[in-house]
Amino acid sequence: MKVLAMVLAGGQGSRLHPLTAQRSKPAVPFGGRYRIADFVLSNLVNSEIRGIYLMVQYKSQSLIEHVAKAWGNSNAYTGQFVTVVPPQMRGGGAEWFQGTSDAVFQNINLIERHSPDMVAVFGADHIYRMDVRQMIDFHRRNSAHVSVAAIPVPLAAASAFGIIDADKRHRIRSFLEKPANPPAMLSDPTRAYGSMGNYLFNTDVLLKALREANENDEHDFGHHILPRLIKTHQVLAYNFADNHVPGVADYEEQSYWRDVGDIDAYYEAHYDVLGAKPRFNLFNPKWFINSSSYQGPSPLISGNISNSTIAAGSLIKNARISNSMLRREVVVEEDVEIDDCLIMDYTVIRRGSRLKRVIVDRYNVVEPNSRIGFDAAADRARYTVSNGGVVVLAKGLDVPDVTRYQI
């Protein structure tokens, strides 16, 4: 069974601004060393899907460089590759992808070149683990033409999702975009099926549907192609709760999946990976999440550190840090207090500063004795503040020269 993956990684992520002011949503850092796109790529590679095209668009340079560093070795083996694909030339000029299905249609020649039995069309915007082989088995066992990954969500929260209405044989009857009264799963009246934006297609079905959509000037899987296919083909909902990834501990959320689509969701997801028994344990030797291989030194730490992660190359001197995550080469000077914060790479927090519920993007210098996260009006005057009260410092312009700062 030959499966080719087409990963949609062109998302603008406007609700994650200012983290997406200079990068696409899939390129946004997550955790101590990852980018959001690393999760879907790791899921596919761990599932032995070796041919992966990553379709990029919005402010893609950061993601292109990351994929080259983190996934370049994937191309060293015959038949295995992770290749970045920009929008193609059509009609004598460059044309951006007009939607999810148009992104795949513009690269239809790549599918035809490889002649796979199935095509996995997955998004690159979510944090999760998934053994795609189990979805493939479901697809084949039920003679599906298309399978759509669906996650059970509480009925009370289902209006925030694209919802799938499926019968007892998993066949999808309709797609509903953020309905006021979402239909419950037949097997669980307290939950509804939320679409995860991950699809498996029989190749012949996909190619025909893409050409028809292009002729009709239609560009989206969720709004155009799938609603039409449910009338003529076997389009099934695959229950993500049935997916069991090896190495997941009993204390973890077994079907963990997060759409980190806005600042508050992104911020909260980081607290799912902290602690001795996190909801989502990023250390799983049986299901490795790959990222770039940083060669810097181990962190040097003094002070009071609790329930936090400090990445390689960081230098902490006599500071107090709690419930926080610091990425690589962060410098924290004396008498600094950091609570409930995400501090990204190459940032300097100067002495005497106090930060609470703050996201500091890369390349920032927080000046001495700063107070951020304590005065909402003052924070809004200088920074972005989310609906949940998280303060976000936009990405700086250049790597700070840490030799200027006496540590």
Side-chain angles (χ1 to χ4, degrees), residues 107-222:
N107 294 285
I108 200 169
N109 63 304
L110 300 177
I111 300 173
E112 293 172 329
R113 179 192 304 171
H114 291 277
S115 296
D117 300 293
M118 291 184 200
V119 179
V121 180
F122 276 39
D125 295 349
H126 306 122
I127 306 299
Y128 68 113
R129 278 186 296 245
M130 180 181 187
D131 186 345
V132 186
R133 292 169 297 192
Q134 295 174 32
M135 185 175 177
I136 293 170
D137 290 343
F138 167 88
H139 183 95
R140 298 179 66 190
R141 188 169 61 249
N142 291 280
S143 301
H145 298 114
V146 186
S147 293
V148 180
I151 184 168
V153 296
L155 207 58
S159 294
F161 292 81
I163 295 300
I164 295 169
D165 182 23
D167 66 20
K168 62 182 180 180
R169 295 183 179 177
H170 315 292
R171 186 161 185 171
I172 296 175
R173 297 181 288 207
S174 63
F175 293 92
L176 306 167
E177 184 60 29
K178 298 182 179 179
N181 298 297
M185 296 169 54
L186 294 181
S187 60
D188 185 350
T190 69
R191 295 180 180 271
Y193 267 145
S195 176
M196 297 169 62
N198 292 345
Y199 316 122
L200 274 179
F201 286 88
N202 288 352
T203 301
D204 59 338
V205 173
L206 175 62
L207 295 179
K208 183 179 179 181
L210 288 173
R211 292 191 172 99
E212 288 180 355
N214 183 63
E215 291 172 1
N216 295 328
D217 198 28
E218 297 172 344
H219 307 300
D220 191 80
F221 283 109

Side-chain angles (χ1 to χ4, degrees), residues 20 31 36 45 65 103 107 118 123 131 146 172 175 184 192 194 224 252 326 333 349 360 373:
T20 50
I36 294 175
V45 170
E65 292 176 2
N107 294 285
M118 291 184 200
D131 186 345
V146 186
I172 296 175
F175 293 92
H224 302 129
E252 294 185 68
L326 280 62
E333 294 188 344
I349 313 292
V360 183

Side-chain angles (χ1 to χ4, degrees), residues 25-47:
K25 181 181 175 183
V28 171
F30 184 86
R33 59 185 294 264
Y34 307 100
R35 304 288 187 113
I36 294 175
D38 288 328
F39 291 85
V40 65
L41 295 177
S42 296
N43 288 329
L44 291 166
V45 170
N46 288 338
S47 301

Side-chain angles (χ1 to χ4, degrees), residues 138-386:
F138 167 88
H139 183 95
R140 298 179 66 190
R141 188 169 61 249
N142 291 280
S143 301
H145 298 114
V146 186
S147 293
V148 180
I151 184 168
V153 296
L155 207 58
S159 294
F161 292 81
I163 295 300
I164 295 169
D165 182 23
D167 66 20
K168 62 182 180 180
R169 295 183 179 177
H170 315 292
R171 186 161 185 171
I172 296 175
R173 297 181 288 207
S174 63
F175 293 92
L176 306 167
E177 184 60 29
K178 298 182 179 179
N181 298 297
M185 296 169 54
L186 294 181
S187 60
D188 185 350
T190 69
R191 295 180 180 271
Y193 267 145
S195 176
M196 297 169 62
N198 292 345
Y199 316 122
L200 274 179
F201 286 88
N202 288 352
T203 301
D204 59 338
V205 173
L206 175 62
L207 295 179
K208 183 179 179 181
L210 288 173
R211 292 191 172 99
E212 288 180 355
N214 183 63
E215 291 172 1
N216 295 328
D217 198 28
E218 297 172 344
H219 307 300
D220 191 80
F221 283 109
H223 289 99
H224 302 129
I225 286 183
L226 292 172
R228 185 164 59 246
L229 286 177
I230 62 175
K231 300 174 184 177
T232 57
H233 289 74
Q234 182 88 331
V235 182
L236 304 184
Y238 170 70
N239 190 343
F240 181 60
D242 294 334
N243 196 272
H244 300 289
V245 170
V248 175
D250 292 341
Y251 57 76
E252 294 185 68
E253 188 175 317
Q254 297 302 302
S255 300
Y256 187 92
W257 180 86
R258 294 292 187 274
D259 180 1
V260 287
D262 60 33
I263 290 295
D264 291 323
Y266 172 82
Y267 176 83
E268 292 298 330
H270 280 80
Y271 291 91
D272 293 337
V273 304
L274 279 179
K277 293 184 176 181
R279 290 184 180 178
F280 185 66
N281 191 347
L282 291 173
F283 180 68
N284 183 345
K286 295 183 179 180
W287 201 264
F288 183 67
I289 305 298
N290 183 56
S291 192
S292 57
S293 180
Y294 174 67
Q295 299 300 319
S298 298
L300 297 175
I301 302 172
S302 66
N304 185 352
I305 315 296
S306 63
N307 193 38
S308 300
T309 62
I310 314 294
S314 292
L315 178 58
I316 317 297
K317 184 175 182 182
N318 295 332
R320 186 183 66 79
I321 301 172
S322 68
N323 301 317
S324 296
M325 190 168 291
L326 280 62
R327 287 173 64 93
R328 67 188 181 200
E329 293 193 32
V330 171
V331 175
V332 180
E333 294 188 344
E334 293 175 322
D335 190 33
V336 167
E337 294 184 2
I338 297 173
D339 294 291
D340 306 311
C341 293
L342 311 176
I343 313 296
M344 295 193 193
D345 320 65
Y346 316 115
T347 290
V348 177
I349 313 292
R350 300 214 52 194
R351 63 186 69 241
S353 294
R354 305 285 186 268
L355 280 69
K356 185 175 181 63
R357 288 176 57 80
V358 180
I359 299 174
V360 183
D361 206 342
R362 289 181 164 195
Y363 309 144
N364 271 285
V365 176
V366 176
E367 295 301 330
N369 301 308
S370 296
R371 298 292 184 272
I372 307 175
F374 298 91
D375 184 330
D379 291 334
R380 286 191 175 90
R382 298 186 62 189
Y383 311 114
T384 299
V385 181
S386 74

Side-chain angles (χ1 to χ4, degrees), residues 57 90 95-103 106 217-220:
Q57 179 159 272
R90 298 202 304 180
E95 182 176 327
W96 278 39
F97 300 140
Q98 301 301 304
T100 55
S101 66
D102 184 63
Q106 286 197 34
D217 198 28
E218 297 172 344
H219 307 300
D220 191 80

